[in-house]
């Protein structure tokens, strides 16, 4: 029997109520693809569902060949892998008519999701296997912003920093050679 280690975090997000992040979210990956893809999923009573699937790394989906869905709609993202600054390496996300930037801030436990009107800062208790995930919001933050910010805490994004990119380079090279 093939058993998976599933992590999940539950909590309340102010007036939006309960929210849950599940990694790997087996229900978002077709059974035939579960050996080659992993998924993450955010759900909540007043939070639009968001999902991400990608190539696996340590039980989490990586950005490589990733697919993003926000509020039941396909979304897209891009990144510039050859940039050296954190801002230059930020993930650009287009979802439900909005453009976001998601980047590492400070150290690998802190991330920021921002758009012109809002900013959500997320913090993990540990970068690889956090016991807790917390966040704070500034500006006109809504349930979509919260959903996307929490979702990316379940995605392997270490390569958004230059050091993480250097560590990830051999794996990315092997992925490209496998195509």
């Amino acid at each position: 029997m093939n058993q998976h280690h599933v992590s999940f975090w539950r909590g309340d997000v102010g007036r939006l109520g309960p929210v849950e992040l599940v990694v790997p979210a087996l229900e978002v990956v077709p059974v035939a693809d579960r050996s080659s893809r992993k998924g993450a999923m955010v759900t909540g009573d007043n939070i639009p569902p968001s999902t991400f699937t990608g190539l696996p790394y340590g039980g989490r989906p990586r950005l490589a060949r990733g697919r993003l869905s926000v509020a039941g709609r396909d979304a897209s993202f891009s990144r510039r892998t050859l940039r050296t600054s954190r801002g230059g390496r930020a993930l650009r996300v287009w979802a439900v008519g909005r453009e976001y930037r998601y980047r590492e801030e400070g150290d690998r436990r802190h991330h920021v999701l921002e758009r012109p009107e809002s900013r959500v800062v997320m913090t993990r208790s540990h970068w690889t296997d956090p016991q807790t995930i917390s966040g704070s919001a500034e500006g006109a933050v809504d349930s979509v912003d919260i959903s996307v910010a929490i979702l990316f805490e379940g995605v392997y994004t270490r390569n958004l920093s230059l050091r993480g990119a250097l560590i990830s380079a051999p794996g990315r090279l092997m992925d490209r050679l496998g195509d």
Side-chain angles (χ1 to χ4, degrees):
M1 179 173 183
N2 189 6
Q3 193 165 359
H4 298 274
H5 171 73
V6 177
S7 298
F8 65 92
W9 296 266
R10 284 188 187 128
D12 285 319
V13 179
R15 62 178 171 39
L16 296 173
V19 64
E20 182 176 87
L21 169 62
V22 179
V23 181
L26 300 177
E27 58 270 34
V28 301
V29 179
V31 173
D33 295 341
R34 287 189 183 160
S35 63
S36 62
R37 297 187 71 78
K38 293 289 182 210
M41 178 176 65
V42 171
T43 59
D45 292 347
N46 297 303
I47 301 279
S50 295
T51 63
F52 189 94
T53 62
L55 297 177
Y57 185 84
R60 291 191 283 171
R62 294 182 2 216
L63 296 171
R65 296 191 194 115
R67 292 185 202 126
L68 174 63
S69 172
V70 177
R73 296 169 51 190
D74 287 342
S76 62
F77 63 92
S78 71
R79 62 193 165 113
R80 295 182 174 149
T81 57
L82 300 177
R83 302 293 174 137
T84 56
S85 71
R86 283 191 176 130
R89 298 189 64 75
L91 191 65
R92 294 178 64 196
V93 178
W94 295 271
V96 295
R98 302 173 180 184
E99 182 175 343
Y100 294 97
R101 292 174 55 83
Y102 179 80
R103 62 184 169 79
E104 187 176 278
E105 181 174 82
D107 63 25
R108 56 190 169 198
R109 295 183 314 110
H110 298 87
H111 300 91
V112 175
L113 177 78
E114 41 192 2
R115 60 183 173 98
E117 303 84 18
S118 70
R119 175 179 161 97
V120 180
V121 179
M122 300 297 296
T123 303
R124 301 174 188 173
S125 60
H126 189 271
W127 83 275
T128 55
D129 191 17
Q131 297 300 307
T132 61
I133 298 173
S134 60
S136 63
E138 302 169 12
V141 173
D142 65 15
S143 61
V144 174
D145 302 328
I146 299 292
S147 183
V148 174
I150 293 171
L151 177 67
F152 277 108
E153 293 305 302
V155 177
Y156 183 79
T157 58
R158 182 72 177 102
N159 53 1
L160 293 181
S161 72
L162 182 58
R163 182 170 185 225
L166 293 174
I167 291 168
S168 301
R172 282 196 323 272
L173 178 63
M174 295 305 288
D175 287 343
R176 288 194 177 119
L177 291 175
D179 286 344

